[in-house]
Amino acid sequence: MPAPFRIMGVLNVTPDSFSDGGQYLDAQAALAHALELERDGAAILDVGGESTRPGAEPVAVEEELRRVVPVIEALSAGGSRAQISIDTIKLPVARAAVDAGATYVNDVTAFRHDPELAGLVADRDLDCCLMHMLGEPRTMQQSPHYDDVVSDVKAFLEERLAFAVAAGIPEERIQLDPGIGFGKTADHNLELLRRLDELAAIGRPLLIGVSRKSFLGRITGREVGDRLAATLAANVLAFTKGATIFRVHDVAPLRDALTVAAATVRAP
């Protein structure tokens, strides 16, 4: 019987990510942290070299490659059993990452930035995640507006799913992410979590990324480093609404929280 959930550990090889920027710029430090995430229960390691926090500036291809490729090569050579994901919107970065050992592409633009990325995923038989984002990281939090955030996000994800399938990606290789915090207000984020089952009805696995995000701070009054309890609560709620993949910084406590939730909410 397949596991009821998978955890994606966050490995930001960046100087400016909102929560852990600068901590893992050194390849050896990044490798050590990745292996720790795997020991804690991460089934997927999501390696990113370009921050997507609100207001983030783009990173040149050469710099992004310099950051991520050595880490992925080291993970592949070091016997990691976790699936390696490349968090990028750029075809050259994804191609180099796959050559280094990645088998999963996590694209926050859902192949809108570089449509040819879908062809790489199809040709190399990779898994992928397509995320909803309003605008781009630099502008996405400037007065985001929706007629109905859940309906709008659902229509977007259905359209991008159809695009990916038309590009030759088998549907079973595709996961979807509503993009919590990506061009959404706190109320938008809460509405998406409240009605997540409507997105689960699309029929593809849902990935949720709420770890330490600012809307949790607005609710609780906690700073970034003190949002673990809020992160766990939001993820367990998402699990009860149909999410099955969870992108987080703190893997071990979430594994325990979801294990308890799975033993109760989804018990046979």
Side-chain angles (χ1 to χ4, degrees), residues 31-126:
L31 174 62
H33 184 58
L35 295 175
E36 179 184 11
L37 292 171
E38 184 177 356
R39 287 193 298 270
D40 285 344
I44 309 168
L45 298 171
D46 194 37
V47 182
E50 179 177 43
S51 174
T52 53
R53 64 175 175 78
E57 293 293 331
V59 173
V61 168
E62 294 75 14
E63 176 61 17
E64 194 174 343
L65 287 168
R66 187 190 67 79
R67 293 175 182 179
V68 302
V69 170
V71 176
I72 294 172
E73 288 177 339
L75 281 170
S76 298
S80 172
R81 290 183 292 179
Q83 184 173 23
I84 302 172
S85 165
I86 178 63
D87 182 356
T88 190
I89 65 174
K90 303 183 182 80
L91 178 61
V93 175
R95 182 183 291 117
V98 171
D99 289 342
T103 61
Y104 187 117
V105 174
N106 186 13
D107 182 357
V108 299
T109 73
F111 301 145
R112 289 178 299 153
H113 175 82
D114 195 337
E116 292 184 10
L117 191 49
L120 174 73
V121 172
D123 292 343
R124 301 291 290 271
D125 200 24
L126 308 173

Side-chain angles (χ1 to χ4, degrees), residues 1-246:
M1 183 176 180
F5 61 84
R6 299 179 79 201
I7 298 176
M8 174 185 277
V10 178
L11 184 59
N12 289 321
V13 194
T14 59
D16 57 344
S17 290
F18 80 96
S19 175
D20 55 358
Q23 293 186 34
Y24 308 113
L25 273 175
D26 176 76
Q28 288 306 309
L31 174 62
H33 184 58
L35 295 175
E36 179 184 11
L37 292 171
E38 184 177 356
R39 287 193 298 270
D40 285 344
I44 309 168
L45 298 171
D46 194 37
V47 182
E50 179 177 43
S51 174
T52 53
R53 64 175 175 78
E57 293 293 331
V59 173
V61 168
E62 294 75 14
E63 176 61 17
E64 194 174 343
L65 287 168
R66 187 190 67 79
R67 293 175 182 179
V68 302
V69 170
V71 176
I72 294 172
E73 288 177 339
L75 281 170
S76 298
S80 172
R81 290 183 292 179
Q83 184 173 23
I84 302 172
S85 165
I86 178 63
D87 182 356
T88 190
I89 65 174
K90 303 183 182 80
L91 178 61
V93 175
R95 182 183 291 117
V98 171
D99 289 342
T103 61
Y104 187 117
V105 174
N106 186 13
D107 182 357
V108 299
T109 73
F111 301 145
R112 289 178 299 153
H113 175 82
D114 195 337
E116 292 184 10
L117 191 49
L120 174 73
V121 172
D123 292 343
R124 301 291 290 271
D125 200 24
L126 308 173
D127 293 321
C128 66
C129 183
L130 310 179
M131 194 191 81
H132 176 275
M133 175 171 58
L134 195 65
E136 59 181 4
R138 195 169 36 166
T139 62
M140 64 187 179
Q141 290 304 107
Q142 297 175 6
S143 303
H145 171 77
Y146 301 88
D147 292 330
D148 178 280
V149 66
V150 178
S151 296
D152 290 357
V153 169
K154 183 177 182 181
F156 173 90
L157 293 176
E158 288 174 332
E159 186 273 326
R160 298 318 294 167
L161 173 61
F163 172 86
V165 171
I169 304 173
E171 190 169 307
E172 60 268 21
R173 290 288 198 180
I174 303 169
Q175 297 160 13
L176 304 175
D177 181 349
I180 300 292
F182 284 80
K184 283 99 176 168
T185 65
D187 285 342
H188 291 147
N189 294 328
L190 292 172
E191 186 70 3
L192 283 165
L193 289 172
R194 189 177 299 119
R195 296 166 55 193
L196 201 62
D197 53 327
E198 295 178 38
L199 302 182
I202 296 173
R204 299 309 309 140
L206 285 184
L207 186 153
I208 294 296
V210 300
S211 186
R212 304 178 182 174
K213 287 192 172 176
S214 61
F215 83 101
L216 299 176
R218 290 192 184 96
I219 295 170
T220 63
R222 301 285 186 182
E223 296 300 322
V224 172
D226 295 320
R227 295 174 187 164
L228 175 58
T231 296
L232 298 179
N235 276 304
V236 168
L237 172 65
F239 177 78
T240 68
K241 293 287 187 174
T244 55
I245 306 146
F246 303 86

Side-chain angles (χ1 to χ4, degrees), residues 244-264:
T244 55
I245 306 146
F246 303 86
R247 185 179 185 274
V248 293
H249 302 83
D250 304 290
V251 171
L254 181 64
R255 179 200 60 201
D256 290 351
L258 290 176
T259 298
V260 173
T264 53

